[in-house]
Amino acid sequence: MTSAFRSLARLALVAVLGAAASVPASAEGLIRISQQFGTLYIPFHILRDQNLIEKHGKELGLDITVEWAKLSGGNAINDALLSGSVDIASAGIGPFFTLWDRTKGAVKIIGAFGATPNYLLTNKPEIKSLKDFGPNDRIASPAALVSVQARELQIAAEKEFGPGNHGKLDSIQVSLPHPDATAALLSGSTEITGHVSNSPFQEQALKNPKIHKVWSSYDILGGPFTPTVAYTTVKWRDENPKTYLAFFRAFEEATALAARDRKLGAATYIKIEQSKLDPAFVEEVISNPEVEFTLVPSKTEVFGDFLYRTGAIKTKPGSWKDYTFPELHSQSGS
């Protein structure tokens, strides 16, 4: 990277942060939330369907207006949070750490969405490991190089090719939302031959005999991992304490409901997403023993250490409590 490019990048970041600072804090009683694709977001579907934020707001003596934005990719979501377009961001732990690092800890995690595996899928029968991908193959994730799935691919590359080779497959990464990447993989008529996916798209794709799984993120990270989190700025939380508390309580209640009643979770997903998937299939997906709905982050320290060690972020995260709000600190996270 040239010094001129670095200067331009710094100026762009200053401009974005300045714009965020100039946007007036939303008044108590308004909350704007971003959401992405997948069954991992079922707690958001539940709190939305049952008006739980509004319910907890009333218990605190506050009428709350809730607005939703459907965005895909950590970069777009981080830009929306910094610009003041949304108050609550939901994205992978990788994009979160990127923003946490850039803002010097001015954003923190409210809660995780749960532990669920991401699968690397391929439509080429000859591909059994990362070494089998060639220069003409393309591997899709929501945001190439920076999404949580893209970072999982880098961690896998380091394990496959050795230390210092985490970027070995960066040149064949491409950005596509999960629904589009799934369609491309299933069609077999595009350059997309791999997809680091999520549920229910990965299970849907695996129904096709031409698709097979190369690995699970649980294999790569050594066990259950919470890949996606909800986060906000310290400033917004401080300036909107009742709205924040109503959201946290609603998120907590919805997560408990999702964990306790998978049939409810599946039905709510179908309803909110206006999905044509069979509810029984969605229930099967989220009833996988590997899936856990929980607010408590798991293995995020491992993920943060990888980002710091490889130079993706400049600040070593340390304990998970350093980058989460105190409402979670009585739990056993990692």
Side-chain angles (χ1 to χ4, degrees):
M1 182 183 293
T2 67
S3 60
F5 185 85
R6 284 194 294 268
S7 297
L8 287 172
R10 284 194 294 269
L11 287 172
L13 176 57
V14 168
V16 169
L17 293 174
S22 66
V23 174
S26 57
E28 284 269 39
L30 172 65
I31 186 167
R32 299 158 299 174
I33 306 169
S34 76
Q35 181 184 330
Q36 295 196 72
F37 300 93
T39 54
L40 193 59
Y41 290 92
I42 280 176
F44 269 12
H45 296 127
I46 291 175
L47 67 81
R48 184 174 182 176
D49 184 55
Q50 298 192 16
N51 298 314
L52 295 182
I53 298 174
E54 294 89 336
K55 183 191 85 168
H56 285 284
K58 288 185 183 300
E59 291 174 356
L60 294 166
L62 186 66
D63 289 326
I64 298 179
T65 298
V66 183
E67 297 177 359
W68 293 89
K70 185 62 96 41
L71 301 171
S72 180
N75 287 336
I77 290 164
N78 283 346
D79 288 345
L81 185 65
L82 282 180
S83 69
S85 300
V86 299
D87 305 307
I88 306 293
S90 58
I93 190 67
F96 163 74
F97 272 130
T98 298
L99 192 59
W100 175 82
D101 181 53
R102 287 170 59 196
T103 62
K104 302 186 185 303
V107 296
K108 290 189 176 184
I109 292 172
I110 304 166
F113 284 92
T116 186
N118 298 125
Y119 297 158
L120 171 61
L121 306 178
T122 182
N123 57 13
K124 295 180 72 172
E126 65 268 28
I127 293 179
K128 306 299 183 184
S129 74
L130 294 186
K131 291 179 180 178
D132 298 323
F133 283 96
N136 295 322
D137 291 306
R138 295 294 181 269
I139 303 174
S141 73
L145 308 184
V146 297
S147 68
V148 65
Q149 291 86 1
R151 295 300 188 187
E152 288 168 350
L153 183 60
Q154 290 181 332
I155 293 171
E158 184 178 63
K159 288 179 177 292
E160 185 88 10
F161 301 108
N165 286 297
H166 56 277
K168 182 84 170 179
L169 301 178
D170 283 1
S171 63
I172 65 171
Q173 285 200 42
V174 296
S175 301
L176 274 181
H178 288 305
D180 297 340
T182 302
L185 196 70
L186 287 170
S187 76
S189 60
T190 74
E191 62 181 2
I192 305 300
T193 56
H195 175 204
V196 190
S197 188
N198 77 349
S199 297
F201 305 103
Q202 57 198 18
E203 290 83 3
Q204 185 181 12
L206 284 169
K207 295 287 186 183
N208 188 314
K210 294 181 180 179
I211 308 298
H212 70 271
K213 178 174 71 173
V214 180
W215 47 247
S216 162
S217 58
Y218 284 12
D219 302 329
I220 302 305
L221 291 160
F225 166 56
T226 51
T228 307
V229 293
Y231 50 100
T232 190
T233 64
V234 174
K235 182 175 185 289
W236 185 85
R237 178 180 180 271
D238 289 346
E239 293 180 349
N240 301 273
K242 286 187 177 180
T243 306
Y244 174 88
L245 183 57
F247 171 77
F248 177 78
R249 288 177 176 174
F251 194 16
E252 187 175 44
E253 181 178 352
T255 299
L257 281 170
R260 184 169 64 247
D261 192 339
R262 304 297 167 109
K263 184 178 292 294
L264 170 68
T268 307
Y269 173 85
I270 296 291
K271 178 181 178 181
I272 296 297
E273 291 292 331
Q274 299 182 339
S275 172
K276 295 181 180 179
L277 290 174
D278 181 353
F281 168 70
V282 177
E283 184 179 354
E284 177 187 346
V285 167
I286 63 176
S287 296
N288 182 336
E290 290 186 320
V291 174
E292 178 187 6
F293 289 103
T294 175
L295 293 180
V296 184
S298 176
K299 291 200 180 296
T300 59
E301 293 171 349
V302 174
F303 204 91
D305 180 68
F306 169 78
L307 296 179
Y308 173 72
R309 182 167 48 78
T310 57
I313 59 176
K314 297 178 181 178
T315 307
K316 186 175 176 61
S319 167
W320 68 278
K321 294 182 179 180
D322 293 342
Y323 46 83
T324 58
F325 286 115
E327 287 78 16
L328 300 176
H329 292 179
S330 63
Q331 306 295 317
S332 297
S334 63

XYZ file of all heavy atoms in Angstrom, residues 147-230:
630
model
N -15.792 -10.613 6.116
C -16.913 -11.233 6.811
C -16.404 -12.351 7.709
O -15.275 -12.841 7.555
C -17.929 -11.787 5.812
O -17.383 -12.882 5.102
N -17.224 -12.767 8.661
C -16.798 -13.842 9.550
C -16.504 -15.113 8.752
O -15.539 -15.839 9.049
C -17.846 -14.105 10.656
C -19.157 -14.621 10.087
C -17.305 -15.068 11.697
N -17.286 -15.367 7.703
C -17.035 -16.556 6.888
C -15.712 -16.447 6.133
O -14.973 -17.420 5.996
C -18.198 -16.773 5.909
C -19.502 -17.200 6.561
C -20.337 -16.027 7.046
O -19.960 -14.861 6.885
N -21.484 -16.330 7.628
N -15.413 -15.239 5.656
C -14.154 -15.025 4.949
C -12.963 -15.231 5.886
O -11.936 -15.802 5.504
C -14.118 -13.618 4.354
N -13.108 -14.775 7.126
C -12.030 -14.958 8.103
C -11.891 -16.434 8.483
O -10.774 -16.924 8.701
C -12.292 -14.115 9.347
C -12.274 -12.615 9.113
C -10.935 -12.127 8.588
N -10.886 -10.660 8.562
C -9.904 -9.946 8.038
N -8.860 -10.560 7.494
N -9.932 -8.621 8.042
N -13.008 -17.138 8.565
C -12.929 -18.580 8.827
C -12.157 -19.279 7.714
O -11.371 -20.207 7.975
C -14.337 -19.166 8.951
C -15.054 -18.786 10.238
C -16.532 -19.122 10.233
O -17.077 -19.485 9.169
O -17.163 -19.012 11.305
N -12.360 -18.827 6.498
C -11.617 -19.381 5.370
C -10.122 -19.111 5.525
O -9.282 -19.987 5.239
C -12.135 -18.788 4.065
C -11.521 -19.316 2.769
C -11.757 -20.813 2.617
C -12.098 -18.567 1.565
N -9.770 -17.942 6.000
C -8.362 -17.614 6.211
C -7.750 -18.465 7.335
O -6.606 -18.914 7.229
C -8.206 -16.131 6.537
C -8.493 -15.216 5.361
C -8.315 -13.752 5.720
O -8.473 -13.347 6.875
N -7.981 -12.941 4.726
N -8.516 -18.664 8.409
C -8.033 -19.511 9.503
C -7.809 -20.934 8.998
O -6.800 -21.589 9.320
C -9.031 -19.490 10.680
C -9.064 -18.100 11.315
C -8.658 -20.533 11.728
C -10.180 -17.915 12.346
N -8.742 -21.415 8.167
C -8.602 -22.752 7.594
C -7.389 -22.829 6.669
O -6.671 -23.833 6.650
C -9.873 -23.120 6.827
N -7.150 -21.742 5.909
C -5.993 -21.722 5.005
C -4.684 -21.786 5.788
O -3.734 -22.475 5.386
C -6.039 -20.464 4.138
N -4.640 -21.097 6.913
C -3.437 -21.133 7.740
C -3.185 -22.548 8.256
O -2.040 -23.020 8.289
C -3.579 -20.162 8.914
C -2.336 -20.071 9.778
C -2.486 -19.072 10.901
O -3.357 -19.291 11.770
O -1.744 -18.076 10.923
N -4.267 -23.228 8.648
C -4.123 -24.609 9.113
C -3.695 -25.545 7.979
O -2.898 -26.461 8.183
C -5.453 -25.085 9.715
C -5.809 -24.469 11.059
C -7.146 -24.981 11.564
C -7.474 -24.437 12.940
N -6.579 -24.977 13.984
N -4.219 -25.286 6.783
C -3.958 -26.164 5.634
C -2.566 -25.945 5.038
O -1.847 -26.903 4.714
C -5.016 -25.918 4.556
C -4.936 -26.838 3.357
C -5.716 -28.118 3.543
O -6.474 -28.225 4.527
O -5.566 -29.023 2.715
N -2.181 -24.664 4.911
C -0.948 -24.335 4.184
C 0.206 -23.904 5.086
O 1.324 -23.740 4.607
C -1.227 -23.224 3.168
C -2.274 -23.580 2.148
C -3.533 -22.999 2.189
C -2.015 -24.504 1.152
C -4.509 -23.327 1.260
C -2.975 -24.841 0.209
C -4.234 -24.250 0.268
N -0.075 -23.699 6.380
C 0.978 -23.343 7.307
C 0.974 -21.881 7.698
O 0.328 -21.048 7.049
N 1.672 -21.532 8.790
C 1.735 -20.155 9.282
C 2.166 -19.173 8.195
O 3.051 -19.474 7.385
C 2.785 -20.234 10.401
C 2.741 -21.658 10.859
C 2.460 -22.465 9.632
N 1.512 -18.027 8.175
C 1.820 -17.008 7.186
C 1.063 -17.157 5.881
O 1.145 -16.287 5.008
N 0.305 -18.238 5.740
C -0.416 -18.500 4.493
C -1.935 -18.336 4.637
O -2.696 -18.898 3.859
C -0.115 -19.919 4.003
C 1.284 -20.042 3.427
O 1.623 -19.407 2.434
N 2.101 -20.849 4.074
N -2.347 -17.528 5.608
C -3.778 -17.330 5.814
C -4.441 -16.653 4.609
O -5.628 -16.811 4.382
C -4.034 -16.504 7.080
C -3.332 -15.183 7.075
N -1.995 -15.064 7.447
C -3.752 -13.943 6.740
C -1.645 -13.792 7.343
N -2.689 -13.095 6.916
N -3.684 -15.906 3.840
C -4.229 -15.217 2.675
C -4.084 -15.985 1.376
O -4.305 -15.439 0.289
N -3.759 -17.257 1.471
C -3.467 -18.067 0.291
C -4.615 -18.060 -0.717
O -4.386 -18.070 -1.937
C -3.197 -19.512 0.734
C -2.825 -20.478 -0.378
C -1.361 -20.414 -0.705
C -0.957 -21.538 -1.640
N 0.478 -21.476 -1.996
N -5.870 -18.016 -0.230
C -7.029 -18.080 -1.122
C -7.759 -16.741 -1.237
O -8.865 -16.696 -1.786
C -7.994 -19.169 -0.644
C -7.428 -20.588 -0.570
C -8.472 -21.555 -0.043
C -6.924 -21.044 -1.935
N -7.141 -15.678 -0.749
C -7.801 -14.367 -0.799
C -8.147 -13.957 -2.233
O -9.173 -13.314 -2.475
C -6.916 -13.296 -0.162
C -6.928 -13.351 1.361
O -7.621 -14.241 1.913
O -6.241 -12.524 1.992
N -7.292 -14.335 -3.179
C -7.493 -13.896 -4.568
C -8.705 -14.532 -5.228
O -9.180 -14.047 -6.262
C -6.240 -14.208 -5.405
O -6.008 -15.612 -5.464
N -9.223 -15.615 -4.641
C -10.403 -16.248 -5.254
C -11.664 -16.044 -4.407
O -12.700 -16.657 -4.673
C -10.175 -17.748 -5.546
C -9.986 -18.546 -4.259
C -8.980 -17.934 -6.471
C -9.989 -20.066 -4.493
N -11.578 -15.171 -3.396
C -12.774 -14.835 -2.625
C -13.613 -13.803 -3.378
O -13.071 -12.882 -3.986
C -12.402 -14.254 -1.258
C -11.909 -15.257 -0.248
C -12.020 -14.722 1.170
O -13.010 -14.101 1.539
N -10.977 -14.953 1.970
N -14.946 -13.944 -3.291
C -15.867 -12.961 -3.866
C -16.986 -12.699 -2.874
O -17.285 -13.539 -2.016
C -16.459 -13.436 -5.212
C -15.384 -13.582 -6.263
C -17.212 -14.752 -5.034
N -17.631 -11.541 -3.006
C -18.714 -11.140 -2.099
C -20.074 -11.426 -2.720
O -20.355 -10.975 -3.837
C -18.610 -9.635 -1.789
O -17.375 -9.312 -1.198
N -20.903 -12.164 -1.988
C -22.287 -12.418 -2.384
C -23.116 -12.678 -1.133
O -22.677 -13.418 -0.249
C -22.397 -13.653 -3.292
C -22.190 -13.505 -4.806
C -22.375 -14.866 -5.461
C -23.159 -12.497 -5.395
N -24.315 -12.104 -1.043
C -25.214 -12.472 0.061
C -25.501 -13.971 0.010
O -25.497 -14.586 -1.066
C -26.481 -11.646 -0.216
C -26.023 -10.521 -1.092
C -24.901 -11.075 -1.915
N -25.776 -14.559 1.155
C -25.980 -16.004 1.209
C -27.042 -16.521 0.234
O -26.816 -17.552 -0.428
C -26.323 -16.438 2.638
C -25.174 -16.376 3.585
N -23.973 -17.020 3.353
C -25.028 -15.742 4.780
C -23.144 -16.790 4.355
N -23.762 -16.018 5.238
N -28.199 -15.856 0.100
C -29.184 -16.394 -0.859
C -28.654 -16.443 -2.290
O -28.879 -17.418 -3.016
C -30.362 -15.400 -0.732
C -30.214 -14.809 0.630
C -28.738 -14.712 0.857
N -27.930 -15.394 -2.706
C -27.388 -15.347 -4.063
C -26.266 -16.364 -4.254
O -26.161 -17.009 -5.311
C -26.876 -13.939 -4.378
C -27.976 -12.896 -4.353
O -29.157 -13.280 -4.479
O -27.657 -11.701 -4.197
N -25.425 -16.514 -3.245
C -24.324 -17.478 -3.337
C -24.863 -18.905 -3.407
O -24.337 -19.746 -4.147
C -23.399 -17.323 -2.132
N -25.924 -19.172 -2.644
C -26.543 -20.498 -2.681
C -27.097 -20.802 -4.069
O -26.883 -21.889 -4.627
C -27.666 -20.594 -1.629
O -27.124 -20.319 -0.335
C -28.298 -21.978 -1.628
N -27.802 -19.821 -4.635
C -28.368 -20.003 -5.980
C -27.268 -20.232 -7.007
O -27.392 -21.089 -7.905
C -29.212 -18.783 -6.352
N -26.170 -19.475 -6.884
C -25.065 -19.619 -7.835
C -24.411 -20.991 -7.719
O -24.096 -21.642 -8.722
C -24.032 -18.519 -7.597
N -24.213 -21.441 -6.490
C -23.578 -22.745 -6.275
C -24.455 -23.868 -6.824
O -23.966 -24.796 -7.476
C -23.331 -22.952 -4.776
C -22.354 -24.068 -4.395
C -20.935 -23.694 -4.786
C -22.429 -24.349 -2.897
N -25.757 -23.766 -6.568
C -26.677 -24.802 -7.029
C -26.812 -24.829 -8.552
O -26.972 -25.892 -9.152
C -28.056 -24.594 -6.397
C -28.168 -24.940 -4.908
C -29.496 -24.457 -4.348
C -28.017 -26.439 -4.690
N -26.718 -23.662 -9.166
C -26.879 -23.605 -10.627
C -25.722 -24.282 -11.343
O -25.894 -24.890 -12.406
C -27.000 -22.158 -11.102
O -25.738 -21.507 -11.098
N -24.525 -24.166 -10.780
C -23.344 -24.750 -11.407
C -22.930 -24.064 -12.691
O -22.025 -24.526 -13.395
N -23.584 -22.943 -13.010
C -23.318 -22.266 -14.282
C -22.562 -20.961 -14.109
O -22.423 -20.195 -15.060
C -24.644 -21.995 -15.003
O -25.485 -21.164 -14.216
N -22.064 -20.697 -12.908
C -21.303 -19.477 -12.658
C -19.890 -19.846 -12.216
O -19.552 -21.035 -12.069
C -21.976 -18.623 -11.567
O -21.747 -19.238 -10.278
C -23.475 -18.486 -11.796
N -19.094 -18.832 -11.961
C -17.725 -19.072 -11.496
C -17.682 -19.529 -10.039
O -16.637 -19.975 -9.555
C -16.900 -17.794 -11.647
C -17.423 -16.636 -10.817
C -16.622 -15.361 -10.986
O -15.665 -15.361 -11.777
O -16.951 -14.375 -10.322
N -18.813 -19.429 -9.313
C -18.843 -19.797 -7.902
C -18.794 -21.313 -7.764
O -19.706 -22.027 -8.165
C -20.125 -19.264 -7.207
C -20.252 -17.746 -7.396
C -20.113 -19.631 -5.734
C -19.109 -16.950 -6.843
N -17.700 -21.796 -7.187
C -17.552 -23.237 -6.955
C -17.471 -23.558 -5.464
O -17.453 -24.728 -5.090
C -16.298 -23.770 -7.653
O -15.148 -23.034 -7.196
C -16.412 -23.628 -9.158
N -17.411 -22.527 -4.619
C -17.371 -22.713 -3.174
C -18.173 -21.627 -2.482
O -18.342 -20.522 -3.015
N -18.685 -21.923 -1.317
C -19.480 -20.959 -0.551
C -19.308 -21.272 0.929
O -19.618 -22.386 1.370
C -20.959 -21.062 -0.958
C -21.890 -20.199 -0.149
N -23.238 -20.494 -0.007
C -21.680 -19.060 0.544
C -23.811 -19.565 0.737
N -22.887 -18.682 1.091
N -18.791 -20.316 1.698
C -18.779 -20.460 3.155
C -20.137 -19.941 3.613
O -20.380 -18.742 3.648
C -17.621 -19.699 3.819
C -17.524 -20.105 5.290
C -16.300 -20.003 3.125
N -21.013 -20.859 3.942
C -22.431 -20.571 4.064
C -22.888 -20.447 5.518
O -22.074 -20.441 6.453
C -23.223 -21.670 3.348
O -24.588 -21.367 3.257
N -24.209 -20.309 5.699
C -24.812 -20.407 7.024
C -26.185 -21.045 6.881
O -26.637 -21.361 5.788
C -24.846 -19.054 7.739
C -25.935 -18.120 7.240
O -26.579 -18.358 6.220
N -26.146 -17.025 7.947
N -26.846 -21.264 8.013
C -28.164 -21.908 7.994
C -29.261 -20.876 7.719
O -29.159 -19.731 8.171
C -28.434 -22.572 9.353
O -27.498 -23.595 9.614
N -30.314 -21.266 6.993
C -30.631 -22.597 6.479
C -30.086 -22.847 5.077
O -30.382 -23.880 4.481
C -32.160 -22.572 6.434
C -32.477 -21.165 6.021
C -31.435 -20.315 6.726
N -29.299 -21.891 4.553
C -28.853 -21.992 3.160
C -27.934 -23.188 2.944
O -28.008 -23.853 1.904
C -28.182 -20.685 2.736
C -29.067 -19.491 2.940
C -28.870 -18.633 4.011
C -30.144 -19.248 2.093
C -29.704 -17.548 4.224
C -30.987 -18.166 2.300
C -30.773 -17.311 3.365
N -27.067 -23.479 3.945
C -26.142 -24.602 3.756
C -26.885 -25.940 3.762
O -26.578 -26.833 2.964
C -25.037 -24.568 4.808
C -25.500 -24.584 6.249
C -24.411 -24.125 7.203
O -23.422 -23.483 6.826
N -24.563 -24.446 8.481
N -27.874 -26.086 4.639
C -28.650 -27.317 4.679
C -29.520 -27.457 3.418
O -29.695 -28.556 2.892
C -29.528 -27.361 5.927
C -28.771 -27.536 7.228
C -28.212 -26.234 7.784
O -28.469 -25.154 7.178
O -27.529 -26.276 8.809
N -30.024 -26.329 2.946
C -30.811 -26.330 1.704
C -29.946 -26.786 0.533
O -30.359 -27.625 -0.280
C -31.363 -24.937 1.455
C -32.295 -24.810 0.270
C -32.771 -23.378 0.072
O -32.244 -22.441 0.677
N -33.768 -23.195 -0.786
N -28.727 -26.244 0.450
C -27.822 -26.619 -0.637
C -27.450 -28.093 -0.575
O -27.359 -28.778 -1.608
C -26.566 -25.755 -0.589
N -27.252 -28.617 0.643
C -26.821 -30.004 0.801
C -27.910 -31.006 0.449
O -27.637 -32.206 0.330
C -26.331 -30.237 2.232
C -24.942 -29.659 2.545
C -24.667 -29.704 4.037
C -23.854 -30.404 1.775
N -29.129 -30.538 0.261
C -30.190 -31.419 -0.232
C -29.909 -31.846 -1.677
O -30.421 -32.852 -2.147
C -31.549 -30.712 -0.161
C -32.040 -30.390 1.242
C -32.497 -31.617 1.986
C -33.112 -31.266 3.324
N -33.511 -32.457 4.113
N -29.099 -31.044 -2.381
C -28.726 -31.352 -3.752
C -27.516 -32.297 -3.748
O -26.480 -31.964 -3.156
C -28.383 -30.060 -4.500
C -28.168 -30.269 -5.981
O -27.481 -31.194 -6.400
N -28.741 -29.391 -6.796
N -27.603 -33.454 -4.372
C -26.495 -34.422 -4.332
C -25.203 -33.916 -4.984
O -24.138 -34.502 -4.767
C -27.051 -35.634 -5.079
C -28.171 -35.105 -5.921
C -28.752 -33.961 -5.153
N -25.293 -32.827 -5.748
C -24.092 -32.285 -6.394
C -23.267 -31.402 -5.446
O -22.164 -30.991 -5.790
C -24.483 -31.474 -7.630
C -25.111 -32.306 -8.743
C -25.452 -31.453 -9.952
C -26.074 -32.295 -11.066
N -26.427 -31.458 -12.249
N -23.821 -31.123 -4.271
C -23.145 -30.260 -3.303
C -22.630 -31.118 -2.155
O -23.340 -31.999 -1.656
C -24.117 -29.188 -2.751
C -24.817 -28.430 -3.884
C -23.374 -28.234 -1.815
C -23.886 -27.659 -4.794
N -21.397 -30.852 -1.722
C -20.901 -31.532 -0.533
C -20.126 -30.565 0.353
O -19.687 -29.500 -0.081
C -20.050 -32.759 -0.883
C -18.715 -32.451 -1.491
N -18.516 -32.301 -2.846
C -17.487 -32.269 -0.922
C -17.247 -32.048 -3.093
N -16.600 -32.021 -1.934
N -19.998 -30.953 1.615
C -19.314 -30.133 2.627
C -17.834 -30.473 2.661
O -17.453 -31.646 2.714
C -19.952 -30.377 4.004
C -19.299 -29.609 5.134
C -20.070 -29.779 6.447
C -19.918 -31.162 7.014
N -20.517 -31.292 8.361
N -17.007 -29.432 2.650
C -15.554 -29.613 2.766
C -15.153 -29.601 4.241
O -14.381 -30.447 4.690
C -14.803 -28.516 1.984
C -13.290 -28.710 2.104
C -15.217 -28.524 0.514
N -15.653 -28.621 4.989
C -15.424 -28.568 6.439
C -16.477 -27.704 7.119
O -17.239 -26.988 6.475
C -14.032 -28.083 6.811
C -13.459 -26.848 6.154
C -12.399 -26.806 5.300
C -13.873 -25.464 6.329
N -12.139 -25.509 4.906
C -13.019 -24.666 5.538
C -14.859 -24.825 7.070
C -13.129 -23.270 5.460
C -14.984 -23.432 6.998
C -14.117 -22.677 6.205
N -16.503 -27.827 8.436
C -17.352 -26.989 9.292
C -16.456 -26.029 10.065
O -15.306 -26.360 10.402
C -18.126 -27.871 10.276
O -18.628 -27.106 11.360
N -16.981 -24.847 10.361
C -16.201 -23.886 11.152
C -15.880 -24.438 12.536
O -14.883 -24.038 13.149
C -16.971 -22.568 11.285
O -18.240 -22.775 11.898
N -16.710 -25.352 13.043
C -16.401 -25.972 14.334
C -15.120 -26.802 14.237
O -14.363 -26.890 15.210
C -17.554 -26.865 14.788
C -18.765 -26.129 15.347
C -18.914 -24.751 15.202
C -19.770 -26.814 16.015
C -20.018 -24.089 15.699
C -20.877 -26.158 16.530
C -21.012 -24.797 16.371
O -22.104 -24.152 16.885
N -14.871 -27.409 13.061
C -13.620 -28.131 12.851
C -12.441 -27.166 12.897
O -11.388 -27.467 13.463
C -13.616 -28.836 11.487
C -14.770 -29.809 11.313
O -15.209 -30.399 12.312
O -15.238 -29.970 10.164
N -12.646 -26.019 12.280
C -11.562 -25.036 12.141
C -11.228 -24.374 13.473
O -10.061 -24.130 13.793
C -11.963 -23.958 11.103
C -12.276 -24.596 9.747
C -10.877 -22.898 10.973
C -11.180 -25.465 9.194
N -12.260 -24.081 14.281
C -12.070 -23.326 15.518
C -12.047 -24.194 16.764
O -11.884 -23.691 17.866
C -13.151 -22.255 15.637
C -13.001 -21.124 14.614
C -14.295 -20.368 14.435
C -11.889 -20.174 15.016
N -12.218 -25.493 16.584
C -12.093 -26.399 17.719
C -13.308 -26.484 18.615
O -13.172 -26.737 19.816
N -14.498 -26.270 18.052
C -15.713 -26.407 18.851
C -16.717 -25.312 18.586
O -16.523 -24.478 17.689
N -17.813 -25.287 19.353
C -18.871 -24.304 19.150
C -18.347 -22.870 19.191
O -17.521 -22.520 20.036
C -19.827 -24.578 20.311
C -19.633 -26.018 20.621
C -18.168 -26.266 20.396
N -18.852 -22.074 18.286
C -18.369 -20.712 18.073
C -19.570 -19.826 17.752
O -20.458 -20.229 16.996
C -17.368 -20.735 16.908
C -17.022 -19.385 16.321
C -16.529 -18.364 17.113
C -17.175 -19.147 14.956
C -16.203 -17.121 16.558
C -16.846 -17.932 14.393
C -16.366 -16.919 15.198
N -19.629 -18.656 18.353
C -20.702 -17.701 18.060
C -20.217 -16.739 16.976
O -19.494 -15.779 17.266
C -21.110 -16.914 19.319
O -19.952 -16.356 19.944
C -21.806 -17.829 20.322
N -20.587 -16.967 15.725
C -20.001 -16.198 14.624
C -20.589 -14.807 14.424
O -19.966 -13.970 13.791
C -20.301 -17.078 13.404
C -21.571 -17.774 13.762
C -21.505 -18.015 15.233
N -21.795 -14.576 14.976
C -22.511 -13.341 14.678
C -22.943 -12.670 15.965
O -23.373 -13.336 16.911
C -23.742 -13.644 13.800
O -23.321 -14.390 12.655
C -24.419 -12.372 13.336
N -22.836 -11.329 16.000
C -23.130 -10.588 17.227
C -23.921 -9.323 16.916
O -23.907 -8.814 15.791
C -21.825 -10.197 17.962
C -21.112 -11.444 18.487
C -20.886 -9.397 17.064
N -24.602 -8.820 17.933
C -25.265 -7.517 17.861
C -24.417 -6.534 18.655
O -23.967 -6.844 19.763
C -26.672 -7.595 18.435
